[in-house]
Amino acid sequence: MSAGSGVDVAALAQNLVNAERVPQENAINAKITKNDGRVSGITASMFMLSELNTALADLKDKKDFNSIAVSGGNSSAYTITPGTSTTLGDYGVQVVSLYKAQKTISGAFNSTTVPLNGNAAFKVNLTINGVAQSVISVTNPTPAGMVDAINTANLGVKASMVNTGTTDSPAYKVVLTGASGANGAFTAEAVQTDGSPLTGTGASFGTTLQTATDAEVKVNGVTYKRSTNAITDVVTGATINLKASSSSEDVVSLTRDTSALQAKFEKVVTAYNDAQSLFKEVTNPKSTLDTYGATLVGDATIRSVASRLRSVFMGTSSTPGTSVNQLWQMGITFDATGVMKLDSTKLDSALTGNFDDVVKTLTGNYDDLSKYSPARAGFFGDATYKITSWVSPTGVLATQSDSVTKQTTGYKESLTKLDTRMQTLLTRYNKQFASMQSFVGSANAQKTSLKSTFDGMMSIYTNKN
């Protein structure tokens, strides 16, 4: 409250500033709020398109259609893993033998350092696949020394020490392991340096734990021998993983698993409809969708993306098949409102009767084609490329989002400048009102002084009367 004028000049100055600030501030904040909503709408749109790309990723490559069901067989003896070009059909399989290495074990020792051969050097003779190997000299005549000498020689047989007894009553033995396969069969003999046998020790290798064998499998009556338990060249495009021998033939069936493919197609349809549904909400001025609804009303870019997205799935494929070259021929259509529909029966029929055409029409028969490649790659390959370009850091949506964000930054700078101007204005008002207050106070003081003088004079004149 002023002592001079009786007016709260500080409040008056602030009110005058607010009268000028608030309309401008509200207008700028409204623009910032609208832009924040636009960025949210663009971000949500990019997310939904990315989700569609994720669904397409499961069907954009030729190998993605290799959904093969394996039934029957003998899982304890073997498994079959289908590949990208597996030949379907029934296969009679019997595992005759596995690809195994020979394992031979020595006699027992009560210590790994017990002296052998009267603590005199000796040698180990190895014969592998009927061929005598270089003599192995054991200069440290102990079980551990023998293991080291065999491994140092590196002739194709490995030695290891095991304890088959207990801590109180150890029974150390040396296990020799050859190379896998029948060609890895070996014999081992520890002898004195003059060739005479060692006596009174466990350094003998007369017990074979496992015989060296090649993998042998019989498929549809034909026997195949291989030097691996993962056989890739018998059933075209598939791997037979041998686990154990079997006594008889078992029939395993490899069939097209259309149910797995159906699930992949359903994900694409759902993701497409979700994306288009969001586009409608962000551009609908009457949308009731929280956060994103009505955030891009009148936005030409998002309308263009929505239209271009639908056109990707219309017409004829860029890599058409002979009998199937459009999506409707495999059960994918659009209703009157633009919603994508999937006829599972029609899709199953197309996959069963025109599988190669379906794959070519959707993928261009590509495998692992980069999502950045503009090559003609069927409906799903083309869609992946186009969506990727839209949501990329340099795509139309990200570019628009960056533009809106920069615009918002400008609005915030305007708020800062407005605040600076209003602070200056407030200072000026306060200064002006202070001067006015001083003037009014001085005038009031002068008025009071004059009144006092006049009152005194009147009193004198009154007393005289």
Side-chain angles (χ1 to χ4, degrees), residues 13-14 17-18 20-21 25 415-431:
Q14 188 64 61
V17 169
N18 288 345
E20 186 169 347
R21 174 207 295 269
E25 190 174 58
L415 281 178
T416 301
K417 293 177 181 178
L418 175 63
D419 183 68
T420 300
R421 291 200 310 273
M422 293 302 101
Q423 289 297 330
T424 301
L425 182 61
L426 179 61
T427 299
R428 186 168 76 247
Y429 280 158
N430 282 330
K431 184 177 181 181

Side-chain angles (χ1 to χ4, degrees), residues 90-112:
D90 294 336
Y91 298 87
V93 180
Q94 179 185 359
V95 181
V96 179
S97 62
L98 300 182
Y99 187 61
K100 297 186 297 185
Q102 177 180 332
K103 291 182 182 294
T104 297
I105 194 166
S106 73
F109 313 100
N110 58 18
S111 168
T112 62

Side-chain angles (χ1 to χ4, degrees), residues 8 27 29 42 50 59 108 138 183 190 215 230 238 253 274 372 396 409 463:
D8 188 345
N29 281 330
I42 295 169
S50 295
L59 287 172
V138 182
N183 290 339
S253 297
D274 286 347
Y372 301 105
V396 291
T409 299
N463 288 336

Side-chain angles (χ1 to χ4, degrees), residues 275-341:
Q276 291 288 17
S277 177
L278 180 73
F279 296 157
K280 289 180 181 179
E281 291 294 333
V282 297
T283 56
N284 179 11
K286 297 181 180 180
S287 172
T288 58
L289 179 66
D290 290 340
T291 306
Y292 309 112
T295 55
L296 296 172
V297 175
D299 190 293
T301 298
I302 204 67
R303 289 201 307 268
S304 173
V305 168
S307 175
R308 290 158 66 187
L309 178 62
R310 178 171 178 174
S311 68
V312 169
F313 299 100
M314 304 296 288
T316 302
S317 168
S318 62
T319 56
T322 302
S323 300
V324 174
N325 50 54
Q326 297 189 32
L327 289 180
W328 68 265
Q329 294 172 304
M330 55 189 82
I332 299 176
T333 57
F334 295 89
D335 66 15
T337 63
V339 174
M340 184 181 283
K341 301 287 186 179

Side-chain angles (χ1 to χ4, degrees), residues 112-123 138-146 191-193 198-201 203:
T112 62
T113 58
V114 62
L116 304 179
N117 194 37
N119 206 28
F122 62 94
K123 61 184 180 180
V138 182
T139 56
N140 175 16
T142 65
M146 181 169 58
V191 297
Q192 298 184 49
T193 54
L198 299 184
T199 59
T201 71

